[in-house]
Amino acid sequence: MKPTAMHIASRNDCLTLDQQDPLAALRQEFSLPEGVIYLDGNSLGAMPKASLTRAQQVIQAEWGKDLIKSWNTAGWFDLPSRLGNLLAPLIGAETDEVVITDSTSINLFKAIAAALHMQASQAATAQRKVIVTERSNFPTDIYVVEGLTRWLDQGYRLHLVDSAEELATAINTDTALVMLTHVNYRSGALLDMEAITALAHNQGALIVWDLAHSAGALPIQLNQAKADFAVGCTYKYLNGGPGSPAFIWVPKRHQAAFHHPLSGWWGHAAPFAMDASFTATPGIRRALCGTQPMVSLAMVEPGLNLFTSTSMDAVRHKSLALTDLFIELVESRCQSHPLQLVTPRAHAQRGSHVSFTHPHAYAVIQALIGRGIIGDYREPGIMRFGFTPLYTQFCDVWDAVEGLRDILDNEAYSPDAERHAVT
Ligand SMILES: *Cc1c(COP(=O)(O)O)cnc(C)c1O
């Protein structure tokens, strides 16, 4: 399966690629609406068919019938760690290093606070006050640092770099922490986790990776890269459902020193001892805070289960084939239109979504959605298309580009389209 090597001249060529696709059967495991080409799985993954049965089970049997007994009998209490262990191999983590809990924003807060605390409690790094990230990072990541450091009021400051190349000079002996998103939500640019982690460590800094747009989309080796902490979403490429709880990874070597300020009873060494004082549990469960939304949490499992029948290398292979094809078709079939590729072309520098700018990007995306081709819009002027190898077909890529070409050729969009609250 090498679509870049062969020239794709027709929809039939795409159908051939779909027939040869070793991941093709996985699409049958998803419930996808008729007549829709879904290119937004990087924002909200599609629904695994098994989610409906699991929802019925957790609501009817576990909650409806067994009631409070389910904390033990249905394994509710253990669920954050059991699901964390299912996710671990997808991100290069070991067993008992990941829990599924809270939101990505909240897990970032915990990881950043714990990392700053680790640095502050060592004489060699206690004076470091700079947190380095990219200006183009997902806004919540920046806002969480702003909120935490303003509240700490200890002189911490953010250093926002304008390109990844600047990291080499921006990270220095004043740096307490580097916080980066592995795949940029807007451009789709992929950072070199191992090289940048080494850069941070060489200067004595710690590093937190946000895997929101990479977990489930490409192979990740957190331990091999010697990363310090990581967080990410389960509702994007992991297909856990809208607002499903996120994950946090703390490697074994940092767990004993991991202290975050949200010390709730689920992170206690003996939650049901009902002690009047907090003692953190020794392992990864110290990253938990309080009671989890069990119905949402249960929905994470069907999504994770789908990865057991494939490998992240196979997922990545198809992801690159899909994105290569999309870029090639847009550039050849829509070449008379002012579309500009924002996403890096090099495989080593891109995730699983592709972004183009267009002067009427928002209106064009609305017109595409009107035809059942679902991508999304991100400021400023960017059309974003996500490719989920588990269910996106090569003929979807062809049909999406044909839809785009037709809309542009016929100017079948309204430039004054009103903005929805969620773009
Ligand atoms: C999607 C995304 C988030 C979302 O955070 P929530 O707390 O789930 O709203 C955070 N960071 C990045 C980089 C993202 O892509």
Side-chain angles (χ1 to χ4, degrees), residues 34 42 139 154 160 210 232 254 259 288 305 309-310 354 412 418:
E34 274 299 307
N42 57 311
Q154 289 172 12
L160 301 175
D210 187 333
H254 283 329
H259 298 289
L288 301 177
N305 280 342
S309 61
T310 182
V354 175
E418 227 177 278

Side-chain angles (χ1 to χ4, degrees), residues 154-174:
Q154 289 172 12
Y156 286 106
R157 60 181 189 83
L158 257 171
H159 180 148
L160 301 175
V161 300
D162 289 298
S163 76
E165 290 70 44
E166 276 179 48
L167 289 169
T169 47
I171 301 171
N172 56 39
T173 51
D174 292 330

